[in-house]
Amino acid sequence: MSYNKNTCVINRSNQVLLIYTGGTIGMGQNPKTGALEPLDFNHLISQIPEFSSIKTGIEVYQFTPPIDSSDMNPSLWAQLVKIISDKYDQYDGFVILHGTDTMAFTASALSYMLENLTKPVILTGSQLPIGQLRTDGKENLVTSIEIAAAHHEDGTPIVPEVCIYFSGRLLRGNRSTKMNADGFNAFDSFNYPHLADAGVSIVYHEEYILRPDYNRPMTPYYATDPNVVVFTLFPGIQDHIVRHMLEAPELRGIVMRTYGSGNAPQRPWLLKMLKEASDRGVNIINISQCAAGTVEMARYDTGYQLKNAGVISGYDSTVESAVAKLMYLQGLYTDPQMVRNGMNCNMRGEISI
């Protein structure tokens, strides 16, 4: 994959790198088919009058060709980490334009792969292309740039973490999930407050924002291990289907979506299979199917039985964050106990313990 960059606004005080990966925000309508297709984003923003009024120096780094976010994968996460790491000292913040379908996965992954992040990395996009009359893309883009460049009086950034900005809400990246396929309010963080709300003014809720150690460098990580599966429980689930999945020799981690506060059917075959997988080093993370709330495996006997089978609580993690965290930890450690220890820790503000 190659990249193009173009300076849009120069000679301003703060500098932001705008990384265009693809997604609806940079698409246009094919006049023959009527379907949306990627456009040259540099050409597109040159036609946006609002850009000339932004008081921040902006450079654009464009994926060529742009990707549909459905095709996002761990190797592209590593490329994003490399772009940010290579350019880290040159910019005050970074804005990543990304399709909405996998934006929460990418935001979660980057939060783990950029350790001790000391600058804003804001992911945004839109539900309508930025060139359309009713687009939400202009506000999302302009506000994301403003947030990425925002600093305290002492020069430290206001939001030094990976975030998603969408429809007036600034959300912690690894707490976010896509909740609406049609509305402009596509994302929310059900188990953590907004980091900022943007109306006439941007109101930052600094008590919820992470504070890094500015005496330590940002450390990038590139390796991930995607031998993970998401497993959703449902009434009538069959043992022979589950067995094929749990006995896959490459499997290292499972994100299991259970009922309510972490409950599962007390089927002997299910508990036996989970115990066997756990005993051979597969880490099984218990995540609630509910959008809000937390897993409490000691509340009901069904959850307690899972704990006895070696299942780990995922607390109030999102599925996207749990998947990305498992991949990250499995990329770091071959020892399943080290991965397990990491899953039990609040590493980047992703869970409440």
Side-chain angles (χ1 to χ4, degrees):
M1 178 172 290
S2 59
Y3 309 93
N4 297 322
K5 73 174 184 178
N6 178 56
T7 302
C8 302
V9 182
I10 58 175
N11 297 325
R12 303 294 180 102
S13 56
N14 292 326
Q15 296 289 322
V16 168
L17 182 62
L18 183 63
I19 304 170
Y20 174 61
T21 68
T24 299
I25 193 168
M27 289 185 174
Q29 197 167 47
N30 185 306
K32 293 183 178 179
T33 67
L36 294 176
E37 59 185 24
L39 299 176
D40 182 339
F41 195 76
N42 292 313
H43 173 70
L44 201 61
I45 62 174
S46 69
Q47 302 178 51
I48 302 174
E50 293 88 344
F51 241 68
S52 61
S53 302
I54 297 175
K55 299 178 180 179
T56 299
I58 303 166
E59 287 192 349
V60 177
Y61 216 100
Q62 177 169 313
F63 276 36
T64 306
I67 63 164
D68 188 289
S69 71
S70 297
D71 293 322
M72 184 56 68
N73 61 65
S75 66
L76 293 173
W77 293 340
Q79 291 194 42
L80 283 170
V81 170
K82 180 164 176 50
I83 293 168
I84 292 169
S85 178
D86 288 349
K87 305 289 186 180
Y88 198 70
D89 293 335
Q90 301 174 35
Y91 297 94
D92 299 281
F94 302 84
V95 173
I96 300 174
L97 300 181
H98 195 291
T100 59
D101 286 346
T102 58
M103 187 184 293
F105 284 99
T106 297
S108 294
L110 293 181
S111 75
Y112 299 115
M113 298 168 76
L114 298 167
E115 183 180 292
N116 196 50
L117 185 66
T118 58
K119 296 182 179 182
V121 175
I122 313 298
L123 285 85
T124 195
S126 66
Q127 297 287 62
L128 289 174
I130 202 166
Q132 291 192 8
L133 185 62
R134 292 185 54 251
T135 184
D136 55 329
K138 290 181 182 179
E139 193 278 326
N140 285 348
L141 174 57
V142 170
T143 305
S144 293
I145 292 170
E146 183 173 344
I147 292 170
H151 282 69
H152 295 110
E153 290 185 1
D154 64 1
T156 57
I158 294 178
V159 191
E161 57 174 289
V162 179
C163 302
I164 288 177
Y165 178 78
F166 227 91
S167 190
R169 301 166 173 169
L170 183 68
L171 314 172
R172 176 163 297 159
N174 58 35
R175 292 282 194 159
S176 305
T177 195
K178 185 176 180 180
M179 63 165 190
N180 194 328
D182 297 320
F184 288 152
N185 57 334
F187 291 88
D188 209 343
S189 54
F190 294 99
N191 286 322
Y192 199 77
H194 300 170
L195 303 186
D197 291 291
V200 175
S201 301
I202 300 176
V203 179
Y204 294 95
H205 309 300
E206 297 204 42
E207 65 272 26
Y208 302 126
I209 298 173
L210 292 176
R211 289 287 162 245
D213 183 351
Y214 290 102
N215 295 315
R216 291 175 46 229
M218 187 277 289
T219 303
Y221 293 90
Y222 304 99
T224 54
D225 181 346
N227 286 300
V228 174
V229 70
V230 177
F231 167 35
T232 301
L233 296 177
F234 58 90
I237 192 167
Q238 296 296 300
D239 59 348
H240 57 281
I241 301 295
V242 175
R243 184 179 300 279
H244 286 299
M245 176 189 67
L246 293 183
E247 291 183 350
E250 303 85 0
L251 185 63
R252 292 190 64 196
I254 299 171
V255 176
M256 184 170 66
R257 301 181 67 236
T258 57
Y259 306 131
S261 57
N263 304 311
Q266 294 190 64
R267 302 284 183 85
W269 64 263
L270 177 60
L271 296 173
K272 182 174 182 290
M273 285 184 194
L274 294 174
K275 181 70 163 58
E276 289 172 350
S278 179
D279 286 347
R280 74 169 192 271
V282 177
N283 282 304
I284 307 167
I285 315 304
N286 188 353
I287 299 294
S288 176
Q289 294 179 27
C290 301
T294 188
V295 164
E296 296 183 38
M297 293 169 65
R299 177 180 291 183
Y300 299 104
D301 186 58
T302 51
Y304 190 78
Q305 295 297 325
L306 290 177
K307 188 174 182 180
N308 284 344
V311 176
I312 311 166
S313 175
Y315 302 96
D316 57 350
S317 174
T318 64
V319 172
E320 297 93 333
S321 180
V323 168
K325 188 176 180 180
L326 265 177
M327 289 184 180
Y328 163 73
L329 290 169
Q330 289 175 179
L332 280 180
Y333 306 113
T334 57
D335 181 355
Q337 185 59 49
M338 295 296 291
V339 175
R340 189 182 186 93
N341 293 344
M343 293 303 298
N344 280 320
C345 292
N346 179 21
M347 303 178 67
R348 308 282 195 271
E350 73 279 6
I351 53 177
S352 305
I353 299 180

